[in-house]
Amino acid sequence: MRVFVTGATGFIGSVVVQELLDAGHQVLGLARNAAAIDALARIGVEAHRGDLSDTESLAAGARACDGVIHLAFIHDFSAYSGSVETDRRAVEVMAGALEGSGKPLVIASGTMMVAHGRPATERDAPISLDVPRAASEALVLEAAGVRGVVVRLAPVVHDRARQGLLTTIIPMAREKGVSAFVGEGANRWPAVHRLDAARLFRLALERAEAGSRLHAVAEEGIAMRTIAETIGEGLRIPVRGVTAEEAPGYFGPFAPFVTIDNPTSSAITRDAMEWRPREAGLLAGLREGGYLS
């Protein structure tokens, strides 16, 4: 299968591309600059010049391939609503380009926009149509004549060098000299190793049914206090709780996220896709990866 991959040189996209190549697929990677083109060329991948705002390029890339995996996202938390709208337009144009073809369109979404306070499942719709990426999910799942699939990523997609959203939070702790959690720190975040996530994207492309929601979650929920304690241990700094009122002063624009209780199940995904996470867990990665040294 020839697959158009957006975000092909990113943290997750780069391992998805390698997973596809290892499985015998061909890849056409979206590249927004010369550096991305060179990076793709080094692994023998054809580049397709464009970016998420170039809708004509996105449509052309989708039409030129047998399927699409959409991973690119503008992670600008200072203008997050704009990033979400750019993503919605990108998904809309690629779904339109594939309409009636029966080809797979697999997009990345997130578990944080599903149920809070209890284990979210693949059967759960977004908590509101107003939450980030809800519109993108709906576009894919309702696309006519397209095998639309949503893969919801845990907020912490990690390896030994990077730790998802914690990659931003850890430097805060290092700078402030304190590793913090909010309240009692009992709220939970799910996690997944990026290699396990990459395998799930490939499986989704190859055989997920139209309308599937899948959860790229290896660990259902790790308490934020435990995460903060592991960070504090690694950085050799104190650990303490902050109040909800104090949280914006410590976490800045991430304050709304670090209070979310987002335990998430992947039981349906594991059964449907015969997907079994096999890489190291988040806390082991934090302790052993050298990121906290």
Side-chain angles (χ1 to χ4, degrees), residues 118-200:
R118 63 164 176 83
T121 78
E122 295 87 341
R123 294 191 179 94
D124 287 317
I127 55 177
S128 163
L129 290 177
D130 296 326
V131 298
R133 293 188 165 183
S136 294
E137 282 202 7
L139 282 167
V140 169
L141 298 178
E142 297 168 7
V146 177
R147 183 158 61 85
V149 180
V150 171
V151 176
R152 292 170 173 160
L153 290 161
V156 184
V157 181
H158 62 90
D159 65 4
R160 290 174 64 87
R162 292 179 60 179
Q163 312 295 335
L165 288 184
L166 297 182
T167 304
T168 300
I169 292 173
I170 291 169
M172 294 180 187
R174 184 180 282 115
E175 177 186 349
K176 296 174 185 294
V178 174
S179 180
F181 54 88
V182 179
E184 297 297 319
N187 61 301
R188 297 150 290 177
W189 276 12
V192 66
H193 195 284
R194 68 171 181 156
L195 294 180
D196 287 323
R199 285 192 297 109
L200 181 57

Side-chain angles (χ1 to χ4, degrees), residues 58-131:
L58 293 174
R63 284 193 293 264
C65 292
D66 304 307
V68 175
I69 296 180
H70 172 51
L71 297 162
F73 190 81
I74 302 170
H75 293 281
D76 181 358
F77 288 92
S78 65
Y80 197 62
S81 60
S83 298
V84 170
E85 175 58 20
T86 297
D87 182 71
R88 187 201 65 78
R89 289 198 303 267
V91 170
E92 183 177 43
V93 73
M94 289 188 287
L98 296 179
E99 186 174 359
S101 68
K103 295 178 181 179
L105 170 58
V106 182
I107 73 161
S109 185
T111 67
M112 279 194 166
M113 42 90 83
V114 198
H116 296 163
R118 63 164 176 83
T121 78
E122 295 87 341
R123 294 191 179 94
D124 287 317
I127 55 177
S128 163
L129 290 177
D130 296 326
V131 298

